[in-house]
Amino acid sequence: MSKLLRLAAVTLLHAALLFTTLPARADDLPDFTALVDHYASAVVSISTTGKTEPANEDRTPHDKRLPNPFEGTPFEEPFRHFFDQRPEQRTPRSTPSSIGSGFIVSADGYILTNAHVVDGAERVTVGMNDRTEHVAEVVGSDPRSDIALLKIQAKDLPTVKIGDSDALRVGQWVLAIGSPFGFESSATVGIVSAVGRSLPTDNYVPFIQTDAAVNPGNSGGPLFNRSGEVIGVNSQIYSRSGGYQGLSFAIPIKVAMNVAEQLKTRGRVARGWLGVLIQEVTPDLAKSFGLDRPRGALIGQVMDDGPGAKNGLKAGDIVLEFDGHAISRSGELPPLVGASSPGKEATLQIFRDGAQTQIKVQIGELPDDVAVNGRSAASGEAHGLGLEVTELPAEQRTQGDSGVVVREVRSGPAQSAGIRTGDVIVRVNNQAITGPAQFATVIRQLPRGKPVAVLIRRDDNALFLPLTLPE
């Protein structure tokens, strides 16, 4: 074969290989037209009006976002939930309003939406796909999950099909339908970017993260899978501009339907509670406790008379499993506990004193006045530590508290560990601290070049910090 023919054959072979590895044609991408045609009529828009606000009222939004780019326009109030603003002095406003989305879950008129969409509403109006409107009753609202259940007086309504959010996998196609910026029945598409995502202010919801375009007004609308099943309720966005930037979060439909059923039958939501504050296990903390790798949820504080205290949980325990569910990150524990029925006995696999053990805990009910997040805030001259300590105030000692107060922190290991002025050092390397002299003795006995766990109290929270003395 001539050199020219050989070259031609190689070129043809390369072309054949190239065409077999090219991405799928546009015609092969998922087509959502049938899904939208079938289910768009079950997606509704929601508008609310509230009470007249007095002048100079200092109002705080439901959660923190960046400054509202719609301030001073008719869109300011409807979308205030999505932006980080704290209004200053304001003149009286009549009937402030908001808009959002929702979807019909039963033919007799039950509708799911976000709690923040109807928060403070005096009147809720549901706009149907055929442009008819109904005044809705708020059956119940649960701010901790951001789910609300509405009821309109109607029958034979179109409904969505409920799917299995537990079966979701990263990379699956999803479609959102809602009313972004008031544009009703808008459909956007994307993929599941992550599952079980924990957000700082919503630790009882394992969020679905997607890159489907979600904007103000989409709140409360459905997130569909390719089979036309609702697998999530669109709830939040993360944005530096106030608009969509590729990070949207939806409440798993399993969580939402559980909340809706409790609101419908009981008028309130009961959640499980351990009565502990937890924090992430960092690599240094894992070493200090003798754990093979960073995993689990580290208990920083056990609340007096809580379920954990009554069943033997201790500060310093690391929860590795909850009822057979492995805990990789601390944020995975609160949703599992919250989904447990109060009174249920749960089995915890914990790491304590260098070994694994099992503890059975009877789950309590989360009190209304307990902070939602359930986490600790993460974050003398004493023998090279770079700090000065002093005794606890007399009134605290008489109440049975122990430890030493950090009076000053200077450059050194203590500062590197994150210890701050005003912290109370309670335990060092699993030894209780009773006073400054005993604290100095414990510090002198610490190993060099190896992280040890220091338990501190800060602003009524407890957390462990990894302290390493130089060799």
Side-chain angles (χ1 to χ4, degrees):
M1 183 183 294
S2 69
K3 185 178 296 185
L4 183 60
L5 287 176
R6 284 199 300 271
L7 179 61
V10 170
T11 302
L12 288 173
L13 178 59
H14 284 175
L17 290 174
L18 175 63
F19 281 112
T20 61
T21 57
L22 283 174
R25 296 174 304 158
D27 292 345
D28 296 326
L29 293 173
D31 185 347
F32 289 97
T33 54
L35 188 161
V36 174
D37 289 343
H38 191 76
Y39 290 109
S41 57
V43 182
V44 300
S45 62
I46 296 173
S47 60
T48 68
T49 54
K51 299 177 182 179
T52 301
E53 298 172 352
N56 302 327
E57 182 182 4
D58 187 11
R59 295 169 296 146
T60 304
H62 173 266
D63 60 0
K64 294 294 185 181
R65 295 292 185 271
L66 294 175
N68 190 342
F70 299 106
E71 187 168 3
T73 74
F75 294 104
E76 178 182 357
E77 286 299 331
F79 307 136
R80 191 163 60 83
H81 168 76
F82 291 85
F83 307 103
D84 184 4
Q85 61 160 345
R86 188 177 180 88
E88 302 297 336
Q89 303 298 314
R90 294 185 179 269
T91 56
R93 294 178 184 267
S94 61
T95 59
S97 62
S98 68
I99 60 173
S101 304
F103 53 98
I104 305 169
V105 294
S106 68
D108 58 349
Y110 283 99
I111 295 170
L112 275 188
T113 187
N114 282 151
H116 76 257
V117 170
V118 298
D119 182 34
E122 195 170 61
R123 178 185 174 94
V124 178
T125 303
V126 172
M128 311 297 286
N129 190 254
D130 62 2
R131 302 182 67 183
T132 59
E133 291 185 343
H134 299 266
V135 175
E137 169 199 358
V138 179
V139 177
S141 180
D142 179 49
R144 280 174 167 159
S145 63
D146 198 18
I147 290 293
L149 181 66
L150 311 182
K151 178 69 168 68
I152 60 174
Q153 297 303 316
K155 58 182 181 179
D156 300 325
L157 295 173
T159 62
V160 298
K161 182 180 180 181
I162 303 301
D164 180 8
S165 50
D166 286 346
L168 273 181
R169 298 182 62 188
V170 175
Q172 285 185 231
W173 287 97
V174 287
L175 174 109
I177 301 180
S179 302
F181 302 105
F183 296 106
E184 298 174 359
S185 300
S186 296
T188 53
V189 69
I191 64 166
V192 175
S193 304
V195 294
R197 185 70 81 195
S198 177
L199 300 183
T201 58
D202 299 271
N203 290 322
Y204 284 101
V205 177
F207 282 95
I208 302 164
Q209 180 185 328
T210 83
D211 68 349
V214 171
N215 283 290
N218 274 112
S219 285
L223 188 70
F224 293 92
N225 62 17
R226 286 185 65 180
S227 300
E229 301 166 329
V230 175
I231 44 80
V233 182
N234 295 312
S235 176
Q236 298 190 32
I237 62 174
Y238 179 88
S239 174
R240 296 192 176 192
S241 66
Y244 166 73
Q245 285 189 294
L247 288 172
S248 308
F249 299 95
I251 301 158
I253 195 62
K254 180 178 179 179
V255 174
M257 293 302 290
N258 176 272
V259 169
E261 182 61 26
Q262 291 194 60
L263 291 174
K264 182 179 179 181
T265 57
R266 305 174 55 190
R268 58 183 291 272
V269 178
R271 286 185 174 81
W273 181 53
L274 274 183
V276 299
L277 297 182
I278 61 173
Q279 66 181 89
E280 199 69 74
V281 180
T282 65
D284 280 345
L285 283 173
K287 291 178 183 178
S288 70
F289 282 98
L291 192 61
D292 57 347
R293 57 185 172 83
R295 57 191 174 110
L298 173 59
I299 296 177
Q301 181 178 345
V302 180
M303 298 179 183
D304 293 340
D305 299 324
K310 293 176 181 177
N311 291 271
L313 289 178
K314 301 177 181 179
D317 288 344
I318 300 176
V319 182
L320 301 178
E321 290 185 12
F322 179 87
D323 259 357
H325 297 274
I327 307 298
S328 176
R329 294 182 176 273
S330 63
E332 297 169 4
L333 181 60
L336 292 172
V337 176
S340 301
S341 301
K344 171 189 174 182
E345 186 178 72
T347 301
L348 277 64
Q349 186 81 17
I350 67 169
F351 187 81
R352 175 189 291 173
D353 298 331
Q356 293 191 33
T357 186
Q358 279 191 351
I359 288 185
K360 293 189 179 297
V361 177
Q362 186 174 24
I363 301 298
E365 182 174 345
L366 180 68
D368 290 336
D369 58 351
V370 171
V372 173
N373 61 13
R375 295 193 190 193
S376 308
S379 65
E381 182 72 54
H383 303 280
L385 287 184
L387 55 71
E388 292 183 4
V389 299
T390 186
E391 285 188 336
L392 281 175
E395 61 270 20
Q396 289 184 255
R397 294 198 303 273
T398 58
Q399 293 172 3
D401 293 344
S402 62
V404 291
V405 180
V406 178
R407 196 166 84 175
E408 183 181 356
V409 180
R410 295 187 285 274
S411 178
Q415 185 183 68
S416 299
I419 297 174
R420 302 176 187 171
T421 300
D423 288 345
V424 177
I425 299 176
V426 180
R427 301 180 72 88
V428 176
N429 203 23
N430 208 29
Q431 296 185 60
I433 301 303
T434 59
Q438 182 256 1
F439 172 71
T441 301
V442 171
I443 295 301
R444 282 196 296 267
Q445 296 171 350
L446 291 180
R448 298 276 172 169
K450 176 184 175 182
V452 297
V454 176
L455 176 62
I456 68 167
R457 285 201 308 271
R458 178 185 297 164
D459 299 330
D460 295 326
N461 288 323
L463 71 152
F464 283 93
L465 297 173
L467 174 70
T468 304
L469 292 180
E471 297 183 18

